Amino acid sequence: MKTDLSKKSIPGYNFAGIEEKWQQRWGEAQLYRAPDKPSADNNFYMLVMYAYPSGDIHMGHFRNYIIGDAVARQQMMLGKEVLHPFGWDAFGLPAERAAIKHDTHPQVWTKQNIGVSRKTLQKVGVSFDWSREVDSSDPSYYKWTQWMFLQLFNKGLAYQKTGWVNWDPVDKTVLANEQVKDGIAERSGAQVEKKELVGWYFRITDYADRLVDDLDTLPEWPDNVKTIQREWIGRSHGLEVDFVIEETGKKLPIYTTRPDTIYGVTFMAISPEAEILKSLNLDSEYTAKVAEYQKKAATRTDIERASLSEDKDGVFTGKYAINPYNGERVQLWVADYVLAGYGTGAVMAVPAHDTRDFAFAKKYGIPIRVVIHPDKNTTLDVDTMEDAFTDYGPMINSAQFDGLTGEKALDCVSEYAEQKNIGRRKVNYKLKDWSISRQRYWGCPIPIIHCDKCGLVPVPESELPVVLPRVESYHPKGRSPLADVPEFMNVKCPKCGGEAQRDPDTMDTFVCSSWYYLRYIDALNDKAPFDKEKAAAWMPIDLYVGGITHATGHLIYFRFFHKFLHDLGWVSTAEPVKKLFNHGMVSDADGEVMSKSKGNVVSPIALCDERGVDISRLGMFFTAPSEKPVQWSDDALSGVEKFIVNKLYPIISDYRGTGPDLKCYFKSGSLPEAEWSLYIKLNQTIKRVSESFERLQFNTAIAALMELVRDYNPEVIKSDELNDQVVLKTIQMVAPLAPHLAEEMWQLAGFEQSVFKSTWPVHDPDAVIGETINIAVQVNGKLRDTVAVAVDADQAVVEQAAEASEKVAKHTEGKQIIKKIYVPGRLLSIVVKS
RNA sequence: GCGAGAGUGGCGGAAUUGGCAGACGCGCUGGAUUUAGGAUCCAGUUCCGAGAGGAGUGGGGGUUCGAAUCCCCCCUUUCGCACCA
């Protein structure tokens, strides 16, 4: 791929040589090395999600990282001190699985992959500061993950409990709710089972309110992510009402968001897993039936339960509960449409005003009582109702509350409960505490010691890290492989010195990724996870680029960690990230997600070897705006390849060597027309490209550069200064997108310093509009002609020009002109009466 | 089912706030050069029409001098949530 540049002694475009040369020089010059402690107001923290080292990076990573790279490089040119680090999310199940498959050790496998992936990233010229690289599976890192755990433990935010968990029967481990979708484990694809198990949890629910409320302080986060997080946290305001079990007088609290329907309760329903069920003392004729039902419910997965939503079933317990509002006695049922983990695990059932309760009541012939009407003049008839009426409306059949509606009704009914001490207002969340125990080997050990005498004892900070022992066998057995390693398990209790045992579980890898962005700031610190002052200077992250898949997982977890660290005084900001950007996914030409099993993976490294890094980058940028999904096809490269090889690179041979002052603007009238219009084109391009960068829409930036290069014709340019400004500023604008090429051209132009040390061009505000402009002329809203007028022409001049147009006259002749609307610089709209 | 977004040429996509729809690129057509063309250059390329002209941003209605852009209804599609009481 040589270009003939015979007119001057400029070598052809040899991308391989250029890439190698500059990657080496940039490395030597430590171009990407971020200052240890930046000035507080002139820094930019550019973060991309760190990578799971599975083999090599793929096109999705490539896209993600070149977006971040373009921003980082432009920020350098804007004079910012830039932190652009990278690292490895190195613990986790896939490493274990792959290691088992290849009969190697997870650590070996992981380190190998890190080596390969790092090399690829360096090869594609991403401007990471590798001196800050982190590896979450390295003791120097996970020492501090354990430290984080201990901080949470000390504040009572890390705790152990027995609970119903999501059990992955394939990977044989517990999963967090965030790792299960539609009852299917995200990683293994297995149907998740319910299991009652002891495990560690983080009390993220303590932060639920702040996690919701502070979303309002993030204007630069995409709305969809904020909405997803709000719904995931699922805050609702309601009332907890104490119903009473008739026989025993024991309280049976339920949670409702519709206190205004409380007089419509005709039965109660309890989840088969609910604790209260055990204390009911069922009569013998019901015990077996209920037990059988519980058993059946336990074998059903969540999806099965949900898919049966049309057909609700349950069993009567033989017991009754009393509604504290009206003293009514209602049947108590067990039904698996009631979730054990939400509210109190029991609900008041109002068939007339809840679809689920309605279906259930219909099935079992339970009475339905209407207590809300759509409005004052419409009444509902129980006999003809086909579905529940779930909207708000005036209360009826509700004693003293009759006539109240909506907000007011909720208020009064709640108020009454609190006065009579039969209930209390309550806020509930769908968000559950974060389950972090994993019964697997390849993870961060939990720094807790179990002592018969002292209970749960944290490992003293001075003894961190608790090192993950190197073991031969780590096959999943359903309990942690570490439990079978006595050298690891058996320790002395740090408190009493007696025999004690370590915790055999390892942590969810999302714990590791909840604070990695802070470690980058001070990656080599062995006295603390990071230095507070350095963090205060760099934080918050100015831009975080990643895929949307993390909206309910990582992006909630790490906000939680950050807030916790904020409370401890370790970080100065309440939120970690100022601007979040989700790039679109990369799929193959048929729209299929690229995966090894499908064999449709396009390797960025192969692409870059074949076509060159800069062409590959430009191809990816040009094919779609960054937020949209891309169906990758090599066809996307042909346009940008021609542009680079035939158009852009050769302009360096037109450089005349004046070394112009790039800050110097030309004055209107100082250049002949052709040159002035090129000067305007240059400045329009600078403006468009700069704006495109702000929106991360590199496709339009490239389009603008293509236009500029197309319009650039050195033969008609007499001013060497202008000519050279165009050449140099074009190189600068293309530099963040095609760094090697730009750097090479910059050097050929005679510069000794890197183009990334040069200053990003600023458009001349007096030169973005030409001397004459075209004004559109509409008649009755239809475009009839355009007229060219001087840029400073007033309405009268434009009207005159419009009148002179035959095309316009054709539509206005003999008609009465009602009005004329003039939009300065854009159009003239003439309204006529026909 | 609920919620949010999207729908523009053969294709990827442009069009800050309502103001010349289709920038830029791919593909395609014609031409030039060439032994050759999967190279390069020039011209053309939304649709209908020979032309004048007309239609046109998923479909239908509306607001406006003017709508891809705002409002209402419908269709399609992507994503999220999915018994949360």
Side-chain angles (χ1 to χ4, degrees):
Chain A
M1 190 137 335
K2 304 265 180 199
T3 311
D4 178 23
L5 295 176
S6 49
K7 49 184 163 174
K8 295 219 178 127
S9 58
I10 297 294
Y13 178 60
N14 163 18
F15 64 78
I18 291 174
E19 284 162 18
E20 205 186 320
K21 167 179 159 189
W22 287 111
Q23 281 169 19
Q24 198 193 333
R25 294 209 189 165
W26 289 332
E28 284 162 8
Q30 303 205 330
L31 182 65
Y32 313 136
R33 186 71 179 257
D36 209 25
K37 208 170 181 183
S39 54
D41 52 356
N42 191 43
N43 67 75
F44 194 93
Y45 188 170
M46 172 67 238
L47 184 68
V48 291
M49 286 179 187
Y50 73 168
Y52 186 80
S54 59
D56 202 350
I57 64 161
H58 53 67
M59 286 304 266
H61 291 123
F62 177 68
R63 188 178 192 198
N64 189 164
Y65 303 148
I66 63 174
I67 291 167
D69 188 57
V71 173
R73 288 179 185 274
Q74 193 217 8
Q75 290 296 328
M76 284 184 216
M77 297 175 76
L78 289 169
K80 298 279 177 63
E81 292 165 305
V82 173
L83 174 59
H84 186 210
F86 198 68
W88 310 99
D89 187 10
F91 272 136
L93 280 176
E96 257 187 68
R97 257 195 253 127
I100 289 167
K101 198 172 150 197
H102 299 114
D103 197 30
T104 171
H105 192 273
Q107 189 178 26
V108 174
W109 188 82
T110 303
K111 296 278 181 209
Q112 262 171 13
N113 289 337
I114 289 177
V116 170
S117 302
R118 188 198 295 115
K119 216 176 137 205
T120 301
L121 289 169
Q122 286 166 343
K123 156 96 190 159
V124 300
V126 182
S127 60
F128 292 133
D129 177 356
W130 289 102
S131 72
R132 296 162 181 275
E133 180 180 9
V134 303
D135 169 352
S136 68
S137 71
D138 194 281
S140 67
Y141 182 89
Y142 70 68
K143 170 180 179 176
W144 300 109
T145 306
Q146 291 170 344
W147 181 89
M148 297 281 164
F149 181 99
L150 292 179
Q151 306 310 305
L152 286 158
F153 182 79
N154 292 339
K155 293 281 174 188
L157 293 168
Y159 66 98
Q160 221 185 6
K161 75 167 180 195
T162 303
W164 289 93
V165 296
N166 305 303
W167 181 258
D168 182 331
V170 170
D171 281 335
K172 299 203 170 68
T173 184
V174 168
L175 298 176
N177 294 330
E178 290 76 8
Q179 292 163 331
V180 179
K181 221 160 239 155
D182 297 330
I184 301 288
E186 267 192 323
R187 275 245 152 96
S188 73
Q191 276 220 345
V192 170
E193 293 166 5
K194 295 273 152 210
K195 206 165 173 179
E196 210 167 12
L197 216 68
V198 183
W200 285 94
Y201 292 81
F202 286 164
R203 219 179 282 283
I204 191 172
T205 50
D206 271 17
Y207 283 75
D209 277 325
R210 282 160 69 189
L211 289 169
V212 178
D213 293 338
D214 287 357
L215 288 172
D216 296 332
T217 69
L218 301 173
E220 294 185 84
W221 277 47
D223 285 333
N224 61 338
V225 173
K226 290 192 275 190
T227 306
I228 289 168
Q229 294 210 350
R230 261 186 217 104
E231 286 174 1
W232 185 263
I233 295 166
R235 178 166 62 188
S236 75
H237 299 270
L239 183 69
E240 197 171 270
V241 184
D242 297 326
F243 278 63
V244 177
I245 302 203
E246 183 187 44
E247 215 171 48
T248 60
K250 272 184 86 167
K251 283 180 182 169
L252 174 57
I254 56 90
Y255 174 75
T256 179
T257 54
R258 292 298 301 271
D260 57 327
T261 63
I262 194 143
Y263 286 82
V265 174
T266 55
F267 69 101
M268 307 277 296
I270 310 180
S271 162
E273 293 93 9
E275 283 298 317
I276 335 158
L277 202 46
K278 293 173 186 160
S279 62
L280 277 182
N281 294 322
L282 300 183
D283 297 334
S284 52
E285 58 170 312
Y286 293 102
T287 351
K289 278 188 204 155
V290 170
E292 193 192 327
Y293 184 76
Q294 278 179 298
K295 212 174 136 195
K296 192 176 105 192
T299 60
R300 280 195 206 165
T301 61
D302 281 355
I303 353 166
E304 282 171 334
R305 283 197 189 185
S307 70
L308 294 169
S309 59
E310 301 300 306
D311 183 34
K312 311 252 169 257
D313 70 354
V315 286
F316 179 44
T317 60
K319 301 288 177 190
Y320 292 84
I322 307 294
N323 182 340
Y325 276 79
N326 56 11
E328 250 181 43
R329 177 175 180 264
V330 293
Q331 293 183 338
L332 193 52
W333 286 67
V334 177
D336 73 358
Y337 77 87
V338 182
L339 304 175
Y342 184 79
T344 64
V347 298
M348 65 178 212
V350 186
H353 305 294
D354 181 283
T355 6
R356 296 153 300 182
D357 300 343
F358 185 86
F360 195 88
K362 278 280 177 196
K363 175 163 180 170
Y364 294 105
I366 298 168
I368 296 171
R369 184 191 304 151
V370 171
V371 291
I372 302 283
H373 276 168
D375 56 65
K376 270 185 255 166
N377 308 317
T378 320
T379 53
L380 291 170
D381 179 7
V382 175
D383 300 323
T384 58
M385 273 175 90
E386 280 174 16
D387 201 354
F389 174 77
T390 57
D391 291 347
Y392 289 103
M395 293 173 70
I396 53 153
N397 300 326
S398 301
Q400 73 269 34
F401 301 107
D402 281 357
L404 295 172
T405 309
E407 215 47 44
K408 188 108 195 275
L410 300 177
D411 248 16
C412 292
V413 176
S414 304
E415 187 64 38
Y416 178 86
E418 284 177 341
Q419 269 173 21
K420 298 279 176 188
N421 200 26
I422 51 167
R424 56 222 70 86
R425 275 176 242 247
K426 195 152 183 217
V427 180
N428 244 316
Y429 307 89
K430 289 191 208 174
L431 182 75
K432 307 240 179 18
D433 277 345
W434 174 13
S435 153
I436 61 126
S437 294
R438 297 291 177 272
Q439 292 69 36
R440 296 296 300 238
Y441 167 68
W442 191 236
C444 175
I446 292 172
I448 291 288
I449 290 166
H450 299 256
C451 171
D452 286 342
K453 255 190 259 170
C454 313
L456 298 173
V457 183
V459 173
E461 219 178 294
S462 59
E463 287 173 29
L464 295 181
V466 175
V467 177
L468 184 67
R470 178 97 183 199
V471 301
E472 291 314 312
S473 172
Y474 39 81
H475 286 240
K477 296 167 188 153
R479 61 188 195 131
S480 174
L482 293 180
D484 300 324
V485 184
E487 317 85 87
F488 174 78
M489 288 299 290
N490 299 326
V491 283
K492 300 276 182 236
C493 170
K495 238 186 199 169
C496 69
E499 297 293 323
Q501 299 235 293
R502 290 199 188 278
D503 196 286
D505 288 348
T506 51
M507 294 186 219
D508 180 4
T509 54
F510 278 117
V511 179
C512 310
S513 57
S514 288
W515 73 282
Y516 76 107
Y517 62 98
L518 291 164
R519 186 65 182 173
Y520 284 140
I521 287 171
D522 202 9
L524 302 176
N525 194 332
D526 58 359
K527 304 278 184 297
F530 56 90
D531 180 83
K532 284 180 197 180
E533 282 174 29
K534 289 179 189 171
W538 280 116
M539 291 299 286
I541 296 158
D542 292 279
L543 176 63
Y544 194 11
V545 178
I548 185 129
T549 46
H550 292 108
T552 57
H554 168 66
L555 290 176
I556 291 186
Y557 296 143
F558 98 123
R559 289 183 61 223
F560 158 59
F561 254 66
H562 191 85
K563 286 180 184 303
F564 171 66
L565 291 170
H566 181 59
D567 290 349
L568 292 187
W570 277 90
V571 293
S572 53
T573 60
E575 285 286 339
V577 171
K578 203 168 133 207
K579 177 170 179 168
L580 179 73
F581 185 86
N582 297 120
H583 69 265
M585 295 296 141
V586 181
S587 53
D588 74 2
D590 303 318
E592 298 275 345
V593 177
M594 289 185 188
S595 72
K596 277 187 196 160
S597 55
K598 290 200 181 92
N600 61 349
V601 179
V602 178
S603 152
I605 192 97
L607 194 67
C608 290
D609 278 341
E610 192 189 329
R611 304 291 200 95
V613 170
D614 291 329
I615 288 170
S616 303
R617 288 170 57 121
L618 235 49
M620 182 59 90
F621 284 134
F622 189 59
T623 200
S626 306
E627 72 277 8
K628 289 195 70 167
V630 158
Q631 291 190 13
W632 180 256
S633 152
D634 287 1
D635 298 347
L637 294 174
S638 58
V640 293
E641 186 166 43
K642 280 189 232 169
F643 172 63
I644 284 191
V645 177
N646 301 334
K647 301 284 185 343
L648 179 64
Y649 181 65
I651 69 167
I652 191 58
S653 65
D654 297 315
Y655 184 64
R656 299 178 193 171
T658 60
D661 178 1
L662 294 172
K663 290 196 176 72
C664 177
Y665 294 145
F666 289 88
K667 284 205 177 62
S668 172
S670 69
L671 291 168
E673 204 185 311
E675 289 169 64
W676 182 251
S677 71
L678 175 67
Y679 182 63
I680 284 171
K681 186 72 185 176
L682 172 67
N683 284 288
Q684 285 173 336
T685 306
I686 293 169
K687 189 161 182 277
R688 279 173 68 189
V689 171
S690 300
E691 284 165 357
S692 296
F693 266 78
E694 272 168 41
R695 283 179 285 161
L696 278 70
Q697 284 179 3
F698 304 114
N699 57 331
T700 52
I702 294 166
L705 287 166
M706 284 172 164
E707 284 185 43
L708 175 63
V709 173
R710 177 196 65 193
D711 290 357
Y712 167 64
N713 178 7
E715 279 164 32
V716 302
I717 300 172
K718 293 195 190 72
S719 163
D720 294 344
E721 289 264 314
L722 171 66
N723 180 78
D724 287 358
Q725 276 216 16
V726 174
V727 172
L728 295 181
K729 288 182 176 175
T730 302
I731 296 169
Q732 288 181 307
M733 285 188 277
V734 87
L737 305 170
H740 311 88
L741 168 78
E743 191 74 298
E744 177 72 9
M745 291 172 77
W746 194 248
Q747 190 202 33
L748 288 170
F751 290 92
E752 283 174 17
Q753 274 236 319
S754 166
V755 68
F756 299 104
K757 299 275 185 195
S758 74
T759 304
W760 184 259
V762 179
H763 73 267
D764 176 352
D766 297 329
V768 284
I769 301 167
E771 310 258 88
T772 61
I773 45 174
N774 285 328
I775 303 281
V777 183
Q778 294 182 343
V779 179
N780 282 358
K782 283 200 195 324
L783 179 74
R784 294 304 175 189
D785 201 4
T786 60
V787 294
V789 296
V791 67
D792 53 359
D794 59 12
Q795 182 168 355
V797 175
V798 175
E799 283 180 18
Q800 233 170 25
E803 277 164 31
S805 158
E806 280 179 32
K807 288 179 186 170
V808 174
K810 219 166 129 185
H811 294 91
T812 53
E813 238 163 39
K815 291 171 181 162
Q816 186 194 345
I817 292 175
I818 299 169
K819 63 172 160 178
K820 291 174 183 167
I821 296 145
Y822 179 59
V823 184
R826 289 197 179 269
L827 63 63
L828 178 70
S829 183
I830 301 168
V831 189
V832 299
K833 203 163 148 188
S834 43

